[in-house]
Amino acid sequence: MKQRITDCFAKAKSEGRGAFVAYMTIGYPTLEKSEAAVETLISEGADIIELGVPFSDPFADGAVIRAAAYEALRQGVTLRDVIALAKRVRSRHPETGLVLFSYYNLLFANGLEKFADEAADAGIDAVLAVDLPLEERDELLAVLKPRGMSYVPLIAPNTPIERVKASAEGLENTFLYVITVKGITGARKELPKELSARLEEVRAAVKLPIAAGFGISSKEQADEICRHADGYIIGSALVKRFGAQS
Amino acid sequence: MNTTKHYGPYGGQYVAETLMGPLNELAAAYLEAKEDPEFQREFAALLKDYVGRESPITVCRRLSAKLGGATIALKREDLNHTGAHKVNNTIGQALLAKRMGKKRLIAETGAGMHGVATATVAALLGMPCEVYMGAIDVKRQAPNVERMKMLGATVHAIEEGSATLKDAMNEALRDWVTNCDDTFYVIGTAAGPYPYPEMVKDFQSVIGKEARRQCLEKFGRLPDQAIACVGGGSNAIGLFAGFMDDADVKLVGVEAAGKGLSTGEHAASINGGRLGVLHGAKTMLLQTADGNVIDTYSVSAGLDYPGVGPEHCHLHDTGRAEYSSITDDEAIAAFDDLCRYEGIIPALESSHALAEAIKRAPSLPKDTILLVCLSGRGDKDLENILAYKKSRSNM
């Protein structure tokens, strides 16, 4: 089994920095431009790319990512396109971590086995499903693990530490996505004061690396976070940036 | 105690991690309240003194005679305060919110009846209330929007997606995930993540329990069929709950076939969908080949939802209930019949259940009793129906 995600975090650590996890809604502003955006992000130092699959009902997302998803859907972009794009990115970047970031129904709709075969073939390292908590994830893990893929659990500000541990259990080659605020995706000027302590608490509870996301948009915020986490995730701010360039 | 999170392969808790804490808190509080006689007493007292229960059963004498077969009887949820069955559930959930110390109620609404019922109970209990409603529904159910505002609620028109109930529910979930510490999300139908399907069924089961007793009193026996419309399926599951163990009572759910199942323009999730995951539950879902949710269509805003309560999917699989579908045209014809033969103006949603009974009655013997849940009254639909008829007469 490849350990790309583990390696990405190890490499960042050896360089004395936090890993940069970059999210892009694939298909926005167009399929081609989102692929170019991924290339730009990798050239700018992104260690891991989260490939966002557009969904008709993005109930966990803020306005920026929702608008991007609707536009991508309008252009007919599907999971199949995202996986095909992942395969091309993989062929050019053998070491970049690739996480498929989706709502669960898109993975489930045509059969989990079929999805997992295609994702593994494309060189995707791990999957994150926004609406698939610990209680429901086993059926997805059952198709990911045999194919050498992992899962990225979300940890919320109100997730108890015992549950954090349970979420990390049995997973390798992944990280915990620690949500900074209760709410939806989207850039925020200020992050909660208690965040540093929360990150330390989560980090101390698990062996897996942790990365913080939701609301992070500036270099300063990322630097502050990386004093308490192994990496940071930027989403909406990047989607906005590449959308504005079009 | 029944603490089912799943109904066969359906149900579950497919939500963002941030909502797992609030859902667990809700489930624990609900199970505790369910066993608390004081809570049940308070709930029952409001249903009696505020909603005006029990609601009567009306036999449709002229309509049944015209059809020349089975006897159609109506469970009159339209006579409840606020004009629909929705208030049974909002009272239960709002009492629970108060008990949990929540300060604010939010709700999604399609036809607006659940929004009105939530705004009503928010006023009764002195809690602020915000209602999310698709922009298309805001337009086609304008009187209910005014009613909600009159009752002190804030109504948010949701312009994105298909601008109907599913998008309203998406926005309500976004609100809840952001404000879950002090906010109670009052879901209006028997869908969503556990414990909502179970909780909504329990609060709505008053429909079926009353109806069962009333049938025994009135007819000296149980009905042969219990028929209710199914969007998310709250009035249906409430009616069915009263007869679940009576194997001889056929349970019939009626979905919205819109312009016809073959046209693709409908909202019949069980008849026309396939297994999927939306709004917290595995359910039969109207979706594209890729797994995106389809824009549903029905003349009735309250049935215009791409998923359906998970227990209905399971009852369909096990055969305990059957699920048919009724087109816009059939529902409107049933609406006209009830107005003219019985002097009752039914909601378009309920007209679907009635249409199914009208379809079945002629071929059944006279001593057959078809009990239809008349889930709401039709005042809110008048403008809509006039527009529909005008468009048909121009064709």
PDB file of all heavy atoms in Angstrom, chain B residues 62-73:
ATOM      1  N   ARG B  62     -72.504  11.414  -0.075  1.00  0.00           N
ATOM      2  CA  ARG B  62     -72.859  11.696  -1.481  1.00  0.00           C
ATOM      3  C   ARG B  62     -71.771  11.227  -2.435  1.00  0.00           C
ATOM      4  O   ARG B  62     -72.061  10.657  -3.481  1.00  0.00           O
ATOM      5  CB  ARG B  62     -73.110  13.192  -1.667  1.00  0.00           C
ATOM      6  CG  ARG B  62     -74.389  13.704  -0.967  1.00  0.00           C
ATOM      7  CD  ARG B  62     -74.684  15.132  -1.412  1.00  0.00           C
ATOM      8  NE  ARG B  62     -75.002  15.194  -2.835  1.00  0.00           N
ATOM      9  CZ  ARG B  62     -74.495  16.071  -3.691  1.00  0.00           C
ATOM     10  NH1 ARG B  62     -73.626  16.972  -3.274  1.00  0.00           N
ATOM     11  NH2 ARG B  62     -74.834  16.052  -4.961  1.00  0.00           N
ATOM     12  N   LEU B  63     -70.508  11.477  -2.067  1.00  0.00           N
ATOM     13  CA  LEU B  63     -69.414  11.068  -2.950  1.00  0.00           C
ATOM     14  C   LEU B  63     -69.386   9.539  -3.093  1.00  0.00           C
ATOM     15  O   LEU B  63     -69.264   9.006  -4.205  1.00  0.00           O
ATOM     16  CB  LEU B  63     -68.066  11.581  -2.403  1.00  0.00           C
ATOM     17  CG  LEU B  63     -66.825  11.218  -3.220  1.00  0.00           C
ATOM     18  CD1 LEU B  63     -66.912  11.796  -4.641  1.00  0.00           C
ATOM     19  CD2 LEU B  63     -65.552  11.744  -2.543  1.00  0.00           C
ATOM     20  N   SER B  64     -69.540   8.838  -1.973  1.00  0.00           N
ATOM     21  CA  SER B  64     -69.523   7.376  -2.015  1.00  0.00           C
ATOM     22  C   SER B  64     -70.686   6.861  -2.856  1.00  0.00           C
ATOM     23  O   SER B  64     -70.530   5.930  -3.655  1.00  0.00           O
ATOM     24  CB  SER B  64     -69.606   6.792  -0.598  1.00  0.00           C
ATOM     25  OG  SER B  64     -68.535   7.265   0.189  1.00  0.00           O
ATOM     26  N   ALA B  65     -71.867   7.481  -2.692  1.00  0.00           N
ATOM     27  CA  ALA B  65     -73.047   7.056  -3.454  1.00  0.00           C
ATOM     28  C   ALA B  65     -72.817   7.264  -4.946  1.00  0.00           C
ATOM     29  O   ALA B  65     -73.141   6.410  -5.774  1.00  0.00           O
ATOM     30  CB  ALA B  65     -74.279   7.831  -2.984  1.00  0.00           C
ATOM     31  N   LYS B  66     -72.207   8.392  -5.285  1.00  0.00           N
ATOM     32  CA  LYS B  66     -71.929   8.674  -6.694  1.00  0.00           C
ATOM     33  C   LYS B  66     -71.002   7.615  -7.294  1.00  0.00           C
ATOM     34  O   LYS B  66     -71.179   7.152  -8.417  1.00  0.00           O
ATOM     35  CB  LYS B  66     -71.288  10.054  -6.839  1.00  0.00           C
ATOM     36  CG  LYS B  66     -70.912  10.401  -8.291  1.00  0.00           C
ATOM     37  CD  LYS B  66     -70.057  11.644  -8.400  1.00  0.00           C
ATOM     38  CE  LYS B  66     -68.585  11.321  -8.529  1.00  0.00           C
ATOM     39  NZ  LYS B  66     -67.824  12.131  -9.448  1.00  0.00           N
ATOM     40  N   LEU B  67     -69.989   7.233  -6.511  1.00  0.00           N
ATOM     41  CA  LEU B  67     -69.011   6.265  -7.021  1.00  0.00           C
ATOM     42  C   LEU B  67     -69.613   4.859  -7.066  1.00  0.00           C
ATOM     43  O   LEU B  67     -69.172   4.006  -7.827  1.00  0.00           O
ATOM     44  CB  LEU B  67     -67.750   6.287  -6.151  1.00  0.00           C
ATOM     45  CG  LEU B  67     -66.979   7.610  -6.184  1.00  0.00           C
ATOM     46  CD1 LEU B  67     -65.929   7.659  -5.073  1.00  0.00           C
ATOM     47  CD2 LEU B  67     -66.317   7.820  -7.533  1.00  0.00           C
ATOM     48  N   GLY B  68     -70.600   4.610  -6.208  1.00  0.00           N
ATOM     49  CA  GLY B  68     -71.338   3.351  -6.256  1.00  0.00           C
ATOM     50  C   GLY B  68     -70.574   2.132  -5.805  1.00  0.00           C
ATOM     51  O   GLY B  68     -70.795   1.034  -6.310  1.00  0.00           O
ATOM     52  N   GLY B  69     -69.631   2.312  -4.873  1.00  0.00           N
ATOM     53  CA  GLY B  69     -68.892   1.149  -4.366  1.00  0.00           C
ATOM     54  C   GLY B  69     -68.615   1.325  -2.898  1.00  0.00           C
ATOM     55  O   GLY B  69     -69.551   1.540  -2.112  1.00  0.00           O
ATOM     56  N   ALA B  70     -67.334   1.246  -2.545  1.00  0.00           N
ATOM     57  CA  ALA B  70     -66.914   1.332  -1.137  1.00  0.00           C
ATOM     58  C   ALA B  70     -67.329   2.662  -0.507  1.00  0.00           C
ATOM     59  O   ALA B  70     -67.576   3.656  -1.208  1.00  0.00           O
ATOM     60  CB  ALA B  70     -65.404   1.173  -1.043  1.00  0.00           C
ATOM     61  N   THR B  71     -67.358   2.654   0.816  1.00  0.00           N
ATOM     62  CA  THR B  71     -67.638   3.873   1.557  1.00  0.00           C
ATOM     63  C   THR B  71     -66.331   4.596   1.854  1.00  0.00           C
ATOM     64  O   THR B  71     -65.396   3.994   2.396  1.00  0.00           O
ATOM     65  CB  THR B  71     -68.341   3.537   2.885  1.00  0.00           C
ATOM     66  OG1 THR B  71     -69.567   2.874   2.582  1.00  0.00           O
ATOM     67  CG2 THR B  71     -68.610   4.793   3.704  1.00  0.00           C
ATOM     68  N   ILE B  72     -66.275   5.862   1.486  1.00  0.00           N
ATOM     69  CA  ILE B  72     -65.084   6.670   1.766  1.00  0.00           C
ATOM     70  C   ILE B  72     -65.330   7.479   3.038  1.00  0.00           C
ATOM     71  O   ILE B  72     -66.360   8.156   3.154  1.00  0.00           O
ATOM     72  CB  ILE B  72     -64.754   7.614   0.592  1.00  0.00           C
ATOM     73  CG1 ILE B  72     -64.390   6.775  -0.649  1.00  0.00           C
ATOM     74  CG2 ILE B  72     -63.618   8.568   0.960  1.00  0.00           C
ATOM     75  CD1 ILE B  72     -64.142   7.607  -1.898  1.00  0.00           C
ATOM     76  N   ALA B  73     -64.421   7.364   3.980  1.00  0.00           N
ATOM     77  CA  ALA B  73     -64.503   8.144   5.216  1.00  0.00           C
ATOM     78  C   ALA B  73     -63.219   8.951   5.361  1.00  0.00           C
ATOM     79  O   ALA B  73     -62.149   8.522   4.931  1.00  0.00           O
ATOM     80  CB  ALA B  73     -64.691   7.222   6.419  1.00  0.00           C
TER      81      ALA B  73
END
